[in-house]
């Protein structure tokens, strides 16, 4: 059957991850939340250690820890520390504690590089179910709250006047971000998740006239990068997760250069 082909499963996993990350990545770019995404993603390695220690699915542990981290950052913001300082401390501390926790796991075969940089070629049917379920949840959640999220992002005061609680919408983004992190671990790993959130959205920005168009274009760019990175990795025998990110970074560079040339002409 088609899903017995590991390349097909890898491609479907990458496309599902791109679909989950694209609309959320637009809000990360608009809100300048890149470091927030890093902090949540880095914390996921602690979730991996928790999952292995308790013999539970990796997705579950990563999701729980990502939620805890994202919610903690949201609640602690504005409590006496600059946001970039708080995120820097929590991001690197979470990654360090996660790596230390992993070192205490005895009798468990663990490929740490696979969790740090992804192992898309080993995506199973069960992983595909998790990835696409997570993508459907994120896309559905963002679509449901799209208008409120957009209003809260553009003007919190206007959102309050319209009866929208900006804090609540921030928590919605927090939940969606935690799901994306848990879904993307298998594909690009905890160190590269933020790249798949930010770069497709940043690449789409110059070509989009509306926020909705930016989300759709970002999804297309992310899916193209996942497919193209998989093919390049297969041809050149390079690590697949980093290759996917390298491809989308190249698309960003081309889009930026092309935009400047058009403006200059």
């Amino acid at each position: 059957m088609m899903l017995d082909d590991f390349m097909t499963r890898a491609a479907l996993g990458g496309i599902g991850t791109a679909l989950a990350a694209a609309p959320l990545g637009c809000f990360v770019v608009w809100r300048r939340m890149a470091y927030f995404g890093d902090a949540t993603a880095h914390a996921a390695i602690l979730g991996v250690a928790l999952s292995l220690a308790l013999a539970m699915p990796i997705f579950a542990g990563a999701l729980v820890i990502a939620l805890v981290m994202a919610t903690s950052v949201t609640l602690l913001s504005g409590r006496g520390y600059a946001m970039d300082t708080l995120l820097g401390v929590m991001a690197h501390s979470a990654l360090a504690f996660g790596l230390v926790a992993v070192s205490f796991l005895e009798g468990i075969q663990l490929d740490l590089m696979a969790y740090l940089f992804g192992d898309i070629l080993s995506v199973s049917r069960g992983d595909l179910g998790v990835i696409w379920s997570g993508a459907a949840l994120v896309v559905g959640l963002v679509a449901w709250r799209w208008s409120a999220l957009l209003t809260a992002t553009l003007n919190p005061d206007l959102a309050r006047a319209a009866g929208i609680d900006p804090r609540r919408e921030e928590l919605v983004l927090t939940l969606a971000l935690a799901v994306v992190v848990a879904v993307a671990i298998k594909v690009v790993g905890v160190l590269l998740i933020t790249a798949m959130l930010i770069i497709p959205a940043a690449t789409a920005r110059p070509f989009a006239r509306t926020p909705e168009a930016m989300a759709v274009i970002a999804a297309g760019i992310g899916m193209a990068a996942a497919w193209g990175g998989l093919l390049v990795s297969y041809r050149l025998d390079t690590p697949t997760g980093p290759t996917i990110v390298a491809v989308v970074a190249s698309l960003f560079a081309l889009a930026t250069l092309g935009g400047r040339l058009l403006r200059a002409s």
Side-chain angles (χ1 to χ4, degrees), residues 18-34 138 142 146 149-150 153-154 173 177 180 194-206 208 210-221:
L19 279 175
L24 190 60
C26 293
F27 285 101
V28 171
V29 169
W30 293 329
R31 286 173 170 257
R32 299 178 181 178
M33 291 172 60
V138 170
V142 172
W146 180 265
L149 284 169
L150 199 56
T153 297
L154 296 176
L173 283 178
L177 183 62
V180 168
T194 310
M196 288 303 291
L197 281 167
I198 297 170
I199 302 177
T203 306
R205 196 171 193 171
T210 65
E212 293 81 4
M214 181 171 162
V216 172
I217 294 171
I221 291 170

Side-chain angles (χ1 to χ4, degrees), residues 9-257:
R9 292 196 301 272
L12 289 173
I15 290 170
T17 300
L19 279 175
L24 190 60
C26 293
F27 285 101
V28 171
V29 169
W30 293 329
R31 286 173 170 257
R32 299 178 181 178
M33 291 172 60
Y35 220 167
F36 183 90
D38 259 340
T40 307
H42 287 179
I45 198 68
L46 189 57
V48 170
L50 176 68
S51 299
L52 294 173
L54 300 179
M56 58 192 287
I58 297 295
F59 173 81
L63 179 60
V64 168
I65 297 299
L67 272 174
V68 169
M69 170 61 79
T71 306
S72 299
V73 170
T74 301
L75 294 176
L76 289 173
S77 61
R79 300 292 177 90
Y81 293 99
M83 179 59 85
D84 59 341
T85 302
L86 183 64
L87 288 173
V89 169
M90 297 189 74
H92 300 298
S93 299
L95 180 60
F97 277 111
L99 294 174
V100 170
V102 165
S103 71
F104 284 109
L105 297 174
E106 296 181 0
I108 297 176
Q109 291 293 324
L110 176 65
D111 183 2
L112 190 57
M113 295 295 284
Y115 293 110
L116 292 177
F117 298 104
D119 189 14
I120 190 174
L121 297 180
S122 69
V123 166
S124 66
R125 291 184 179 212
D127 293 328
L128 282 180
V130 169
I131 289 170
W132 280 90
S133 296
L137 176 61
V138 170
V139 171
L141 186 62
V142 172
W144 174 48
R145 304 299 305 168
W146 180 265
S147 179
L149 284 169
L150 199 56
T151 304
T153 297
L154 296 176
N155 192 324
D157 293 331
L158 179 63
R160 291 188 189 93
I164 298 168
D165 184 359
R167 198 76 170 179
R168 181 188 62 205
E169 303 310 318
E170 190 173 353
L171 287 174
V172 170
L173 283 178
T174 295
L175 172 62
L177 183 62
V179 173
V180 168
V181 166
V183 160
I185 280 181
K186 189 77 172 182
V187 176
V188 290
V190 299
L191 297 183
L192 301 176
I193 290 170
T194 310
M196 288 303 291
L197 281 167
I198 297 170
I199 302 177
T203 306
R205 196 171 193 171
F207 304 104
R209 294 182 178 273
T210 65
E212 293 81 4
M214 181 171 162
V216 172
I217 294 171
I221 291 170
M223 289 188 290
W227 177 248
L230 189 61
L231 292 180
V232 171
S233 171
Y234 183 74
R235 298 271 185 183
L236 301 181
D237 192 27
T238 54
T240 310
T243 303
I244 290 173
V245 174
V247 167
V248 76
S250 299
L251 293 176
F252 172 76
L254 288 173
T256 302
L257 180 61

